[in-house]
Amino acid sequence: MNNSSITITQLLDTDLGELRKISREIWYSHYPTILSHAQIEYMLNKMYGIGVIEDEIYHQGIFYDQVLHNSELVGYLSYSSETLNNISYLKLHKCYLLPSLHGFGYGQKMLFHVCQKAQTMNLKQIILNVNKRNEKGIKAYSRFGFKIIDSQVIDFGSGFVLDDYIMGYDI
């Protein structure tokens, strides 16, 4: 498999059902050693429930791109332009790929795509949150050039917290 066998395009409304399906598959294959079943289920509902993604796209200025492999949805990205203390950056909200496709360089291609989007938006930095126990994710982001710049614990409701590193990449 080579990098040219995946394409990244804007996600369409008609693809949302497929996105919700694949998000479950990815989360349940990747997170069981990191998060409890209850937290995975809670987070999937909070982040991917009916209306949630639509609201992000239409009201919050969040972009969703789909990752296709042989025309099949195998992953997705979501990102937006944010500003903190007068500094604008690209916030990478979601970067997911089916675990069966890890190790082929697709994740790196996805991050490169996000860099191109940031440049198009005239942004000089990409910021993301990653669970402190998500060693695979941290390793992949570090390999691309992201550095841990901070950490934060966010109350996600219902007794669940997000215990994350904040990683940054300067373009």
Side-chain angles (χ1 to χ4, degrees):
M1 280 198 244
N2 62 17
N3 266 351
S4 61
S5 61
I6 69 160
T7 51
I8 304 173
T9 58
Q10 187 180 351
L11 185 83
L12 305 172
D13 281 11
T14 49
D15 304 314
L16 286 174
E18 196 59 30
L19 172 84
R20 288 186 172 100
K21 203 173 93 193
I22 196 175
S23 67
R24 296 190 78 77
E25 193 179 331
I26 291 170
W27 277 61
Y28 273 108
S29 55
H30 183 75
Y31 286 110
T33 56
I34 300 169
L35 305 171
S36 69
H37 178 90
Q39 183 162 358
I40 292 172
E41 201 53 41
Y42 176 76
M43 290 182 71
L44 282 170
N45 287 331
K46 283 271 283 208
M47 294 166 66
Y48 300 95
I50 302 295
V52 176
I53 298 168
E54 291 86 340
D55 184 59
E56 288 182 349
I57 294 170
Y58 296 113
H59 305 292
Q60 297 178 43
I62 295 175
F63 298 94
Y64 272 81
D65 290 344
Q66 61 185 351
V67 180
L68 302 171
H69 179 260
N70 301 329
S71 333
E72 237 177 89
L73 185 67
V74 295
Y76 52 94
L77 295 156
S78 84
Y79 50 90
S80 61
S81 169
E82 298 201 355
T83 304
L84 183 68
N85 302 330
N86 290 327
I87 297 168
S88 294
Y89 57 91
L90 185 137
K91 171 74 176 185
L92 180 57
H93 300 283
K94 299 181 178 84
C95 181
Y96 291 105
L97 179 69
L98 282 174
S100 58
L101 293 176
H102 288 183
F104 295 104
Y106 298 150
Q108 302 287 307
K109 186 173 182 183
M110 290 164 69
L111 290 172
F112 183 69
H113 172 82
V114 171
C115 282
Q116 290 177 309
K117 293 293 179 182
Q119 286 171 320
T120 306
M121 295 179 191
N122 232 352
L123 303 170
K124 305 281 181 258
Q125 189 180 38
I126 299 170
I127 303 275
L128 61 85
N129 283 41
V130 60
N131 186 294
K132 287 178 186 162
R133 293 172 59 203
N134 184 355
E135 289 168 24
K136 209 171 173 183
I138 293 165
K139 200 178 284 180
Y141 294 129
S142 300
R143 201 167 43 236
F144 190 84
F146 278 84
K147 295 195 175 16
I148 294 172
I149 53 175
D150 207 349
S151 65
Q152 79 184 150
V153 177
I154 302 161
D155 182 348
F156 205 67
S158 291
F160 297 114
V161 296
L162 306 183
D163 189 9
D164 292 347
Y165 284 125
I166 298 171
M167 297 185 79
Y169 178 82
D170 295 327
I171 297 165

